[in-house]
Structures are given as structure tokens and as C-alpha cells.
Amino acid sequence: MCELVVEGGVPLAGELTIQGSKNSVLPILAATLLTADTCTIENCPRLRDVDASISILRNLGCCTHWESDALVVDTAQMDQSEVPDALMREMRSSVIFLGAILARNGEATLSYPGGCELGPRPIDIHLSALRALGAEISECGGKLKCRTDGLIGCEIFFPMSSVGATENTILAACGAEGTTVLYNAAREPEIVDLQNFINAMGGNVRGAGGSIITVEGGRTMHGGLHRVIADRIVGATYLCAAASCGGEVLLKGVDYRALSTVAAALSEAGCRIQSDRDTVSVKSDGALRAIRPVRTAPYPGFPTDAQPVLMAALLRSDGSTVFVENIFENRYRHVDELARMGAQIRVAGRVAVVNGQRSLHGASVKSTDLRGGAALVLAALQAEGQSRIMQIEHIDRGYESIERDLKLLGASIRREGT
């Protein structure tokens, strides 16, 4: 198994182009099933979760191949409607294929998805929306069996803002007759990216980025070319790394608006943040101060995925910072591992209090989940001495090569093992 070996205490400096967004490309890959044609997805990150999506596409009968940073998907020969349990367990986002398969074939069979163990993430909102469109859904032997004689557009009111349910419903609604209107839809930039890809294939989705989205279904889709947006959580990770280690880093190719809440927190902590249309820079002396309470919330609030890396950035800050996790109940699983490096964090339910320490020390730690793993890397970058981070397959689910990127910024980090 691979490990990351980090020698801490090195300031970061340089420029970095941010990879394509994991949370954008996964629903986009599912959306390729809406057409029996070839789609080219540029700026597609090479991630474990993308590999899992490719395996699902191939299992369904599709063909895929890489051309530099572009993934080419040919769905013309799709001849299956079931995703095997082993593939579903690879990642939480595998459920996003449900709406697309149903729209394409009129039936779909999937088991419940896997992914990081961050607490209950029920898909009942997904299933309720699909039923409203006319899907018949039953559960048998741990499998979800969905079928329809024809999806019909309707009005759908989400009881809570859900990114996955919004995306799944958009995909299914593309195969429905008539118009579907989604109320209380999630507003994340990744949903805007999905809308842009669908429209590039000949679809008609409007309103993404707002809470009301309209989908005109029944349109004939064709192949398309699309460039995936930059990953805002990866951008947030490297901003937090530079802030906590000290130095000056410029991130390129990322929309500064998607990083505004993280940038505001780092500014309050004492960093100098500057932004342009597609760049964000951070300058820090590494001496951060505690900030006001950080409360995670759906976009445009503070992203839950950025909470662990901001927490890691503030481990040596002057004072105490309160974090309130409002999205996932098990988002603090990495805290015990941070404590091995000398971090002082108290957790009570959904609240964590970080008491800044003057220094951290190197240790051997285990990655607990994707973003928690990234937090361990950031802590190791600040710590005195050497740290070893194990179980980094979690990190590889969302970071194309975290050690490559950090090396470009001057960090002493390497991957060992196979």
C-alpha cells in the first residue's frame, strides 16, 4: 500500500493550475448516457472516483479512452441497465447514474452506494423525485429496481437542498416528456457545470446556480465537447496549505467566487488574499490567528468539504476557533489522527473547538476519508520532523496527485510503496 512521507516546516511558494472538479465530472460522466453518441470531457481529472465511473460506463456497454487530459466516452453501444454491487460500493456518487440510466433505458437496477463513511446520507430524496416523474421503484435483496413506461415532467419540491438529488433529477428529467421544474434545488457551481454540458449536447436546462431549475425533457441529445471547471475544494486545500505553512502561492484556472468563503476565513486569520477572474493568490507568514465560528452550509455557505482543511490550517493559530458541522455528522473522524501530531481539538457532537498550539510534531497517521486525509497532509506540512500518512487511497479519490502539486510549491513530500 502507498504512503505519503512529509518533512514539515517548509514554506510554500509558486504557481499551480487547479485540476478539474471531481464533484463536477462525476455527474457529467453520468450525463453522457443521455445520448447514443460520443462525448469528449476535457480537463477530466485522473482520480479513483473517475476510474470507478469509467468502470460503470464500460459495464453498461460504453467505450472510453483517454486523449491527454480529455476522456472520450462513446455510449452508442450501451446495452445494460444494471450496475453491479461491487462497482456501486466504490463511491457514494455512483447513485448519480440512476437518473441517467432510467432516462436512457426506461429501467435501472442499482445497489446502495458506498463512499466515505461520513454518517447517514439517505437517497430517499432522490427516489421521491424519480417517483414524482413516474418511476416505479422497489427494493429487493439490497437492490433498487427502477422502471417506467415513460417519465412525465412535473413540479418537484425538495424538502432540503441536496446536490446529488438535484443532479439525479435533472438527468432523469432530460428523458421525461414535457417540462420539469425543481424547487429548492442545490445551487453549487458543479450543478451549473452539469447544466452547461447537457445544453452542449442539445438539452435545455435553465436556472442552475439558483434555487429554481427548469428542464425541458424529451429532446434528442447529440455528442458534445465540454471542459470541466476547476475543483474549488482542491483550490481551498492549497490555499489553506500556503496559509498555514507560510509563503506566497498563486492558483490559476479557478473561479475566485467559488472560493470566497474560504478566502474570507483565511483573510480573517491574517492572510493576504487577492483574486482576479480566474486566479486566486495567498500570501502568509504562517502566523495565523483564530477566527469567528465556522458553520458549514449548502452553497453559497461555507463548504463542508473545505472544513477539514481549514481546521488543519488553524492548528497552530493564536487562540481558539469553533467549527459547527451542519452537513455530515461524522465529519470529525480525522481529529484523533490530528491529535497524534499534537493538535488540541475538543469535539462534542457537531461542534469542534480548535485550540491553537505553538507547534506540531511529525507522526504516523491514517487517512480516514477523502477530506480528512487532505487535512492530515496539511498538518504534516506544518509539523516538525517527518510524518507518514497511510491509507491514502482515500485522498486519491479526489486529488489527482497531491504530492505532485505540493512538490511544485516547494513542499518536501513523496509517495512510497505500490
Side-chain angles (χ1 to χ4, degrees):
M1 300 295 289
C2 291
E3 299 178 355
L4 290 176
V5 182
V6 182
E7 299 287 345
V10 180
L12 303 182
E15 299 181 357
L16 190 64
T17 299
I18 300 302
Q19 69 179 59
S21 169
K22 175 183 87 78
N23 291 336
S24 224
V25 76
L26 299 181
I28 284 173
L29 290 177
T32 62
L33 299 177
L34 298 175
T35 178
D37 205 341
T38 300
C39 298
T40 301
I41 313 302
E42 296 181 335
N43 199 33
C44 182
R46 293 180 181 247
L47 309 170
R48 283 176 60 93
D49 276 11
V50 170
D51 289 341
S53 292
I54 290 172
S55 295
I56 290 174
L57 289 168
R58 290 177 174 172
N59 182 80
L60 294 171
C62 306
C63 298
T64 68
H65 69 273
W66 289 93
E67 293 182 359
S68 186
D69 74 339
L71 181 63
V72 180
V73 182
D74 181 358
T75 64
Q77 302 303 315
M78 178 184 178
D79 58 359
Q80 299 292 322
S81 297
E82 180 172 353
V83 180
D85 178 70
L87 295 180
M88 288 296 296
R89 290 179 182 272
E90 286 292 316
M91 62 175 182
R92 177 69 188 180
S93 298
S94 54
V95 73
I96 204 65
F97 282 88
L98 178 58
I101 297 172
L102 190 63
R104 173 78 176 266
N105 289 347
E107 61 179 7
T109 302
L110 297 81
S111 59
Y112 282 93
C116 292
E117 297 178 6
L118 302 177
R121 289 185 280 178
I123 62 171
D124 57 308
I125 301 177
H126 300 239
L127 303 183
S128 177
L130 296 181
R131 286 190 175 104
L133 289 168
E136 299 174 4
I137 305 173
S138 61
E139 183 177 351
C140 179
K143 291 184 177 181
L144 292 170
K145 294 182 178 293
C146 309
R147 64 168 304 279
T148 180
D149 292 327
L151 300 174
I152 304 296
C154 63
E155 292 187 336
I156 294 175
F157 298 83
F158 292 117
M160 60 178 289
S161 176
S162 166
V163 175
T166 298
E167 293 167 341
N168 233 338
T169 307
I170 289 173
L171 294 172
C174 286
E177 288 299 320
T179 299
T180 300
V181 183
L182 286 59
Y183 295 95
N184 195 29
R187 301 166 59 187
E188 274 70 4
E190 294 79 14
I191 296 174
V192 178
D193 208 25
L194 176 62
Q195 169 184 276
N196 292 340
F197 174 61
I198 291 172
N199 291 347
M201 292 194 296
N204 186 0
V205 182
R206 306 183 303 277
S211 60
I212 301 175
I213 298 176
T214 302
V215 182
E216 182 186 331
R219 296 171 68 95
T220 301
M221 301 282 197
H222 53 72
L225 171 68
H226 181 75
R227 185 170 183 82
V228 177
I229 61 172
D231 195 307
R232 60 192 172 102
I233 305 303
V234 172
T237 300
Y238 297 141
L239 283 180
C240 288
S244 57
C245 293
E248 188 169 359
V249 167
L250 175 69
L251 304 182
K252 299 189 293 185
V254 61
D255 187 338
Y256 71 92
R257 294 169 296 182
L259 290 171
S260 60
T261 53
V262 177
L266 293 177
S267 294
E268 185 180 345
C271 301
R272 181 184 176 188
I273 307 289
Q274 292 184 310
S275 58
D276 202 343
R277 187 175 63 88
D278 61 353
T279 63
V280 181
S281 66
V282 57
K283 186 174 183 180
S284 171
D285 61 5
L288 303 183
R289 55 179 175 264
I291 61 176
R292 289 171 291 182
V294 177
R295 296 178 172 86
T296 63
Y299 190 87
F302 193 92
T304 180
D305 282 353
Q307 177 259 103
V309 293
L310 179 62
M311 176 183 286
L314 296 174
L315 293 178
R316 297 186 300 130
S317 62
D318 181 14
S320 299
T321 299
V322 175
F323 288 83
V324 182
E325 175 54 53
N326 294 310
I327 308 299
F328 296 129
E329 67 180 39
N330 289 342
R331 189 51 113 173
Y332 299 132
R333 296 175 66 233
H334 60 289
V335 166
D336 288 344
E337 298 301 304
L338 290 174
R340 295 175 182 271
M341 298 183 183
Q344 294 294 315
I345 306 171
R346 300 195 314 273
V347 175
R350 292 182 178 267
V351 178
V353 180
V354 176
N355 297 309
Q357 301 298 298
R358 297 182 68 88
S359 64
L360 303 173
H361 53 78
S364 292
V365 293
K366 294 181 180 180
S367 176
T368 57
D369 57 81
L370 169 53
R371 306 306 174 185
L376 296 179
V377 174
L378 265 61
L381 292 173
Q382 306 170 57
E384 298 174 359
Q386 185 182 95
S387 296
R388 285 185 173 270
I389 302 161
M390 297 171 281
Q391 296 182 1
I392 61 173
E393 62 272 13
H394 292 294
I395 300 173
D396 291 339
R397 288 186 47 235
Y399 295 83
E400 190 171 80
S401 177
I402 197 169
E403 73 276 11
R404 176 201 64 199
D405 290 348
L406 289 170
K407 276 183 180 178
L408 289 173
L409 299 179
S412 177
I413 180 173
R414 67 182 184 273
R415 180 179 294 243
E416 290 187 353
T418 56

